[in-house]
Amino acid sequence: MNSEFDSSKILLDFGKGDGLIPTIIQDYYSNEVLMLAYMSKESFELTKKTKQTWFYSRSRNELWNKGATSGNFQEVKEIFSDCDNDTLLIKVKQNGVACHTGKVSCFFRRII
Amino acid sequence: MNSEFDSSKILLDFGKGDGLIPTIIQDYYSNEVLMLAYMSKESFELTKKTKQTWFYSRSRNELWNKGATSGNFQEVKEIFSDCDNDTLLIKVKQNGVACHTGKVSCFFRRII
């Protein structure tokens, strides 16, 4: 645990209007960046409580527990907020793959 | 280069309204996630052209070349888009530190 501050005092900034915070998911073991999704306060609390990732789908307007359909659950190892508390980084043990295409990571399209 | 598709055909989704795409910055060598910022089409084109990162500041409403003030430039090594082309991942050689607080990464606040 980082000893520089009291993590319970971190006040997260859940978006300018939409109530969502972008959340980077990184593989705890390989450090590969797996995906980015959005959390509402409710999905963030569920994530902390269950130690599995829960997101808020902007297209379906609903909470989703990653892996509930596919079985590819993400077990939460560490959660960090950034310097201005408007982004989260969560390190996970990824069961199976992260991407709905079947790729390990959603970032498989190389531009440069 | 990923040979599965023609990267010139990737059509990025620059946001629902604000014209911005969230961009994860990762250290090319250590794989540490350094920061998340937002790119407009213009800053993305400048990033590709100059091989340094350019972002769009939502608070100042202006383009910024990361490092122009601090000297902590980010040299672009690789750029990826995600499966639905609405997030970017850029791997960089970070000169100095990424965070304005002086930390290497902006994600230094551990919650769990």
Side-chain angles (χ1 to χ4, degrees):
Chain A
M1 195 68 192
N2 190 320
S3 60
E4 290 182 22
F5 51 82
D6 178 353
S7 69
S8 67
K9 291 181 179 170
I10 294 176
L11 191 63
L12 295 178
D13 180 357
F14 281 90
K16 320 293 188 207
D18 64 4
L20 302 177
I21 191 166
T23 302
I24 303 163
I25 305 296
Q26 184 178 27
D27 189 287
Y28 179 74
Y29 300 100
S30 70
N31 284 325
E32 186 170 11
V33 175
L34 299 174
M35 58 184 282
L36 181 134
Y38 294 83
M39 287 191 176
S40 61
K41 283 183 185 173
E42 187 178 3
S43 65
F44 178 64
E45 293 302 325
L46 281 166
T47 297
K48 285 196 296 182
K49 183 177 174 185
T50 65
K51 298 286 174 67
Q52 290 184 344
T53 53
W54 287 74
F55 302 109
Y56 188 86
S57 168
R58 297 179 302 169
S59 56
R60 298 192 306 273
N61 288 316
E62 63 181 20
L63 289 177
W64 56 290
N65 177 204
K66 173 73 178 170
T69 305
S70 64
N72 296 337
F73 291 101
Q74 296 172 332
E75 300 174 33
V76 172
K77 294 289 189 179
E78 294 176 336
I79 301 179
F80 298 86
S81 67
D82 74 343
C83 52
D84 48 5
N85 293 317
D86 63 2
T87 308
L88 292 170
L89 170 66
I90 301 188
K91 299 189 182 185
V92 302
K93 177 186 176 188
Q94 175 68 57
N95 292 283
V97 300
C99 189
H100 74 286
T101 64
K103 305 274 188 182
V104 171
S105 161
C106 293
F107 296 96
F108 57 84
R109 290 184 177 145
R110 186 166 169 183
I111 296 172
I112 282 180
Chain B
M1 194 69 191
N2 191 319
S3 61
E4 289 182 23
F5 52 82
D6 178 353
S7 68
S8 67
K9 291 181 180 169
I10 295 175
L11 191 63
L12 295 176
D13 180 358
F14 281 90
K16 321 293 188 207
D18 63 5
L20 303 178
I21 190 166
T23 302
I24 302 164
I25 304 297
Q26 184 178 28
D27 189 287
Y28 179 75
Y29 301 100
S30 70
N31 284 326
E32 185 170 12
V33 175
L34 299 174
M35 57 185 283
L36 181 134
Y38 294 83
M39 287 192 176
S40 61
K41 283 182 185 173
E42 188 178 1
S43 65
F44 178 63
E45 292 303 325
L46 281 166
T47 297
K48 286 196 295 182
K49 183 178 175 185
T50 65
K51 299 286 172 69
Q52 290 183 343
T53 53
W54 287 76
F55 302 108
Y56 189 85
S57 167
R58 297 180 301 168
S59 55
R60 299 191 307 273
N61 289 315
E62 63 181 21
L63 289 177
W64 55 292
N65 177 205
K66 172 75 178 169
T69 304
S70 63
N72 296 336
F73 291 101
Q74 296 172 332
E75 299 174 34
V76 172
K77 294 289 190 179
E78 294 176 337
I79 301 179
F80 298 86
S81 66
D82 74 343
C83 53
D84 48 7
N85 293 316
D86 63 2
T87 308
L88 292 170
L89 170 66
I90 301 188
K91 298 189 182 185
V92 302
K93 176 185 175 187
Q94 175 68 56
N95 291 282
V97 299
C99 188
H100 75 285
T101 63
K103 304 273 189 184
V104 171
S105 161
C106 292
F107 296 96
F108 56 84
R109 291 184 175 145
R110 186 165 169 182
I111 296 172
I112 282 180

